[in-house]
Amino acid sequence: MFVQQLEPVADSLALSALVAALPLATVLILLGGVRMRAHLAGLTGLAVAVLVGWFAFAMPLGQTLSAGAQGVLFGLFPIMWIVVNALWVYRMTVRTQHFDILRRSFGRLSDDPRIQALVIAFCFGALLEALAGFGAPVAICSVMLVALGFDPVKAAVVSLVANTAPVAFGAMGTPVVTLAQVTGLPLDTVASVVGRQTPLLALIVPLVLIGLVDGRRGLRETWVPALACGVAFAVAQFAAANYLSAQLADIAAALAGAAALVAVPSARRPAAEPVRAAVLTGVRSEDLDRDDPRPEVVRAYAPYALIVVIFSVAQIPPVKELLAKATQVFDWPFLDVANPDGERVGANVFTLPLVGTGGTLVLLAGLITAVVLGVRARDAAREWAATVRELRYAILTVTSVLALAYVMNLSGQAATIGHFVAAAGAGLAFLSPILGWFGVAVSGSDTSANALFGALQVTAAHQSGLAPELLAAANSSGGVLGKMISPQNLTIACAAVGLAGKEGDVLRKVLPWSLGLLLVMCLIVVGQSTAVLGWMLP
């Protein structure tokens, strides 16, 4: 049995924490300073983590490599298994041109560009984040807004800022699932606390988007539908995360937000021509005026309806119990680790949910989608293979980062850093979201940031007397605000609207909003760590 040590370097916690931080520092410097490709930075950081775990923390090489292998498997299944199948569903809608029908349907909901920004960037973007994540919402929504006549820079900025509130529950809950796995906290608990933080952002973001699109005039004329959209989104996300399923949180929120927006009479009122002339300064796509047959519109919405139905059915207790029977639980080979107190850690046992996991449910929805959209089996298989190829670098990045996280967690590196960071005491509640924000800003992924810093946040919380689920959730909730400034997302947004090389211009426009909303989240977490907002926690 390998017993983790907190002060293996010269019996000094500070020096040990400094050495333990080398893998994280390597990844962050290579990504942010050297601008190395994310998958290469992740692999390099993994190599450093293995060496530090082996030499500095005295973890046997076999166990160190076994810990990394467990991280790789978790990265592949269930994490990337969800992402691949979700993006596959989207690709099939593009192949059959039903995605274009969906785009035209959204364009006809309202001719007011401010309302269109909310429908597409906030509501539909949240739905795409729920299904795929990893930059897909920003790319797709930016293109749709440009097709409606938005200036490319404004379209990119609006899509980036909108991609905040849903991120923590994106890709069928992947970030919170990862956070629960690396921290050892129950998924329901983590999702519940995140579901009491990010909905507060949802109240603000629609108003911010209206301001970005049309300034003070937009806020003065359309604050009612924007607020209705934000409140409905927030309530649905809170309810789903706390009482239904983390995987359904963003889907429920997106649908509720869109429904509330459409229900407000002022949202359907035609926009004044001066507003359209001021906002729509780009070139409008000619195909927006085409009428689509009602059956084809229904088929365009069908894939998303199928996912909602299948995930809802999977939450029915008898069905959930039946799916759980297919879960495989086994001792992870070549791994026998105890924490500094001599207690065996949970990672010695690995849980593999084969059927009940989100990726398998999305796969089922995808198979039915292929039938509904008329995609032949051979073409559907080709699209799935093409999806894997498209995501090959993302798969390599996620698996390497999770392998790094598992090595750091199991060798004791994360625990050592956590004990050292805990010296911040009460100030840790304010710093916790900033750590998540920094991780996402560099890596471009809330999942990766949770894998990197989740265990560290929990360890620091235990040492400082704060609630571990609060700081773990704060890592994810603060992280969502780093997404809009991450080089990965900036590049995706600019490439989608033909602004390659203009990432710096877009960054300058979104950075103030990222920092301002981060400050709001920091204050929320500080309040929740005290009696002021402590009543909000479960």
Side-chain angles (χ1 to χ4, degrees):
M1 176 182 287
F2 166 69
V3 180
Q4 297 171 348
Q5 303 175 58
L6 293 177
E7 302 176 356
V9 181
D11 293 325
S12 167
L13 182 61
L15 287 177
S16 299
L18 186 63
V19 173
L22 287 176
L24 294 177
T26 299
V27 173
L28 299 180
I29 290 172
L30 291 179
L31 279 172
V34 181
R35 295 180 180 270
M36 182 181 285
R37 298 283 295 274
H39 64 283
L40 296 177
L43 289 171
T44 306
L46 172 59
V48 174
V50 169
L51 292 174
V52 170
W54 184 21
F55 288 110
F57 283 76
M59 187 178 194
L61 180 59
Q63 295 214 48
T64 305
L65 296 176
S66 180
Q70 185 176 148
V72 169
L73 179 57
F74 182 70
L76 291 173
F77 192 97
I79 302 304
M80 293 310 297
W81 179 238
I82 298 172
V83 177
V84 167
N85 289 321
L87 200 55
W88 172 56
V89 173
Y90 161 71
R91 285 180 65 99
M92 285 194 290
T93 66
V94 173
R95 181 186 182 91
T96 59
Q97 298 185 337
H98 283 89
F99 182 76
D100 293 331
I101 295 173
L102 194 68
R103 176 168 56 87
R104 288 192 289 270
S105 175
F106 286 157
R108 285 190 288 269
L109 287 175
S110 171
D111 76 339
D112 189 327
R114 299 165 298 191
I115 302 302
Q116 290 174 343
L118 291 179
V119 171
I120 293 172
F122 188 68
C123 297
F124 187 59
L127 185 60
L128 290 173
E129 182 67 36
L131 300 177
F134 291 88
V138 169
I140 295 166
C141 292
S142 296
V143 170
M144 291 176 73
L145 290 176
V146 168
L148 290 172
F150 278 70
D151 172 74
V153 172
K154 185 171 287 186
V157 170
V158 167
S159 298
L160 285 164
V161 174
N163 191 220
T164 49
V167 168
F169 296 102
M172 310 310 295
T174 295
V176 291
V177 170
T178 302
L179 186 61
Q181 181 74 14
V182 300
T183 59
L185 297 171
L187 173 59
D188 290 344
T189 302
V190 173
S192 178
V193 179
V194 175
R196 296 163 192 244
Q197 294 173 342
T198 56
L200 298 176
L201 292 177
L203 298 173
I204 303 171
V205 172
L207 295 170
V208 172
L209 296 178
I210 292 298
L212 287 171
V213 171
D214 194 31
R216 293 182 179 178
R217 177 180 58 186
L219 286 170
R220 186 173 61 251
E221 295 179 0
T222 56
W223 69 269
V224 173
L227 188 60
C229 177
V231 169
F233 187 104
V235 170
Q237 190 182 61
F238 162 78
N242 280 272
Y243 306 113
L244 184 58
S245 164
Q247 287 87 349
L248 287 175
D250 279 350
I251 294 177
L255 296 177
L261 196 57
V262 173
V264 176
S266 60
R268 301 191 301 275
R269 198 174 299 147
E273 193 54 39
V275 173
R276 292 180 56 79
V279 175
L280 301 179
T281 55
V283 179
R284 189 172 183 268
S285 176
E286 295 180 359
D287 75 342
L288 289 173
D289 297 323
R290 186 190 310 173
D291 288 328
D292 298 301
R294 185 176 295 275
E296 292 304 310
V297 175
V298 172
R299 292 171 75 191
Y301 281 91
Y304 309 103
L306 283 168
I307 290 175
V308 173
V309 170
I310 289 173
F311 270 84
S312 299
V313 171
Q315 297 306 313
I316 299 173
V319 178
K320 194 172 184 178
E321 291 175 9
L322 182 64
L323 295 176
K325 291 181 180 179
T327 300
Q328 300 294 315
V329 181
F330 55 91
D331 290 331
W332 187 258
F334 311 112
L335 196 66
D336 190 8
V337 180
N339 63 24
D341 296 326
E343 303 168 345
R344 296 184 81 239
V345 299
N348 291 311
V349 178
F350 192 77
T351 302
L352 193 63
L354 298 174
V355 180
T357 188
T360 304
L361 297 178
V362 175
L363 176 64
L364 175 60
L367 294 173
I368 302 175
T369 293
V371 175
V372 172
L373 300 185
V375 181
R376 294 182 301 176
R378 179 180 298 177
D379 292 335
R382 286 176 177 169
E383 287 295 335
W384 195 91
T387 303
V388 174
R389 177 174 174 77
E390 179 184 339
L391 291 173
R392 63 190 184 280
Y393 291 121
I395 292 172
L396 191 55
T397 300
V398 169
T399 52
S400 61
V401 168
L402 279 163
L404 179 153
Y406 270 65
V407 169
M408 289 191 64
N409 293 344
L410 289 170
S411 66
Q413 296 173 57
T416 295
I417 298 173
H419 278 72
F420 181 73
V421 171
L428 190 59
F430 186 86
L431 296 175
S432 187
I434 297 176
L435 189 59
W437 173 86
F438 183 68
V440 176
V442 172
S443 69
S445 166
D446 200 37
T447 300
S448 297
N450 287 344
L452 289 173
F453 299 129
L456 186 156
Q457 298 266 24
V458 168
T459 303
H462 281 302
Q463 294 302 308
S464 60
L466 296 171
E469 58 271 14
L470 173 62
L471 295 198
N475 191 84
S476 192
S477 299
V480 306
L481 300 168
K483 191 115 185 217
M484 69 178 83
I485 64 167
S486 70
Q488 172 183 308
N489 256 25
L490 287 169
T491 301
I492 289 172
C494 290
V497 297
L499 293 174
K502 301 288 187 180
E503 289 85 356
D505 296 338
V506 175
L507 174 62
R508 283 190 288 274
K509 291 180 179 296
V510 298
L511 181 59
W513 294 108
S514 178
L515 294 174
L517 291 172
L518 175 63
L519 176 60
V520 171
M521 182 53 65
C522 289
L523 295 176
I524 290 171
V525 175
V526 169
Q528 291 178 334
S529 70
T530 66
V532 177
L533 295 179
W535 53 268
M536 292 180 63
L537 298 181

